[in-house]
Amino acid sequence: MDVFKAIQWRRSVRRFSTQKIERARILQILEAGRLAPSSSNRQAWHFVVVDDPSIIKQIPRTVPVGTRRIVTFIKDAPLVIIGCYSKAFTHVIAQLAGHKNHLIDVSIAMTHMTLAATELGIGTCWVGWFGESRLQRLLALPRKYKIVALLVLGYPAERSSKASIGGIPPRPRKALGEIVSCNKFGQRF
Ligand SMILES: Cc1cc2nc3c(=O)[nH]c(=O)nc-3n(C[C@H](O)[C@H](O)[C@H](O)COP(=O)(O)O)c2cc1C
């Protein structure tokens, strides 16, 4: 599969089969993240791979009760990768300037992972809604590490089609004309 095909084929998958993801494939997905670019090549990231169902079931409980609906699907996933960073590894000048490059770095690595997973027929869904302190406790994450996002992974419950992983219809996207300018803001490309 070429990169364009993976980009087009990817969907947020929230319903998973009971099939476990093979360790070799998890390693391939992690490797795709490891090779991602990062600010000053600092690689300030850390990824916690959660494959213990008893821990996965508790993840939705880290968010406030009234909002759990957004993340309840996580409990039935076979795998969750928690993307974190430590400021201890970020560049001091970037820190002083208030740059958030570490957030970008972790996001790029996780994007690599989504595409690698798609290539392997494994569904993914980003989750940005989590209760940080409760999740940190659940994962025994040292305090200097902060959580950026979760990537929920599993083989889709529904059969994939030619058009998409899990046969999931596309969510709408803005047209290029709405989101792209040329040379000066608002000029058509
Ligand atoms: C940073 C980020 C955070 C997200 N958080 C959640 C989430 O908490 N729960 C959820 O179900 N989906 C979440 N999503 C998935 C989006 O809803 C989804 O990507 C979007 O609707 C577009 O659909 P698609 O991924 O199928 O193209 C998140 C996506 C991103 C990029």
Side-chain angles (χ1 to χ4, degrees):
M1 188 182 290
D2 67 28
V3 176
F4 272 112
K5 174 91 193 332
I7 289 169
Q8 286 167 349
W9 209 58
R10 187 209 59 82
R11 296 286 186 275
S12 288
V13 176
R14 298 182 179 86
R15 280 173 34 82
F16 303 103
S17 81
T18 51
Q19 190 184 343
K20 288 247 168 277
I21 304 178
E22 305 79 351
R23 185 175 171 81
R25 291 187 155 196
I26 298 173
L27 286 170
Q28 273 182 289
I29 293 166
L30 293 170
E31 179 69 359
R34 192 181 74 86
L35 296 178
S38 65
S39 169
S40 305
N41 201 25
R42 289 274 161 160
Q43 304 161 68
W45 47 52
H46 187 91
F47 301 99
V48 182
V49 179
V50 185
D51 63 358
D52 179 338
S54 70
I55 298 181
I56 290 175
K57 278 199 178 15
Q58 292 181 61
I59 293 176
R61 293 187 214 146
T62 65
V63 307
V65 179
T67 61
R68 285 191 188 156
R69 188 183 48 82
I70 308 168
V71 290
T72 37
F73 74 94
I74 298 174
K75 69 178 174 39
D76 300 318
L79 191 76
V80 182
I81 297 176
I82 319 277
C84 314
Y85 72 89
S86 166
K87 272 202 173 168
F89 299 118
T90 60
H91 201 294
V92 71
I93 295 172
Q95 278 183 41
L96 291 173
H99 289 173
K100 302 275 189 286
N101 288 343
H102 44 280
L103 301 180
I104 299 171
D105 297 341
V106 175
S107 304
I108 296 170
M110 292 176 81
T111 299
H112 275 203
M113 291 184 199
T114 61
L115 294 178
T118 305
E119 157 82 33
L120 297 170
I122 293 164
T124 58
C125 187
W126 283 84
V127 166
W129 186 241
F130 53 87
E132 178 145 38
S133 51
R134 293 175 91 173
L135 189 52
Q136 278 182 318
R137 249 176 284 137
L138 182 65
L139 305 171
L141 200 65
R143 284 175 74 90
K144 68 176 180 175
Y145 286 93
K146 301 280 173 224
I147 300 166
V148 177
L150 281 53
L151 198 61
V152 184
L153 300 100
Y155 288 101
E158 269 78 40
R159 190 194 283 261
S160 295
S161 67
K162 267 183 126 177
S164 72
I165 188 162
I168 298 166
R171 300 292 317 277
R173 293 294 195 266
K174 294 178 181 175
L176 273 187
E178 277 183 76
I179 59 169
V180 177
S181 296
C182 184
N183 297 319
K184 297 216 169 158
F185 184 83
Q187 283 184 181
R188 273 176 70 106
F189 179 70

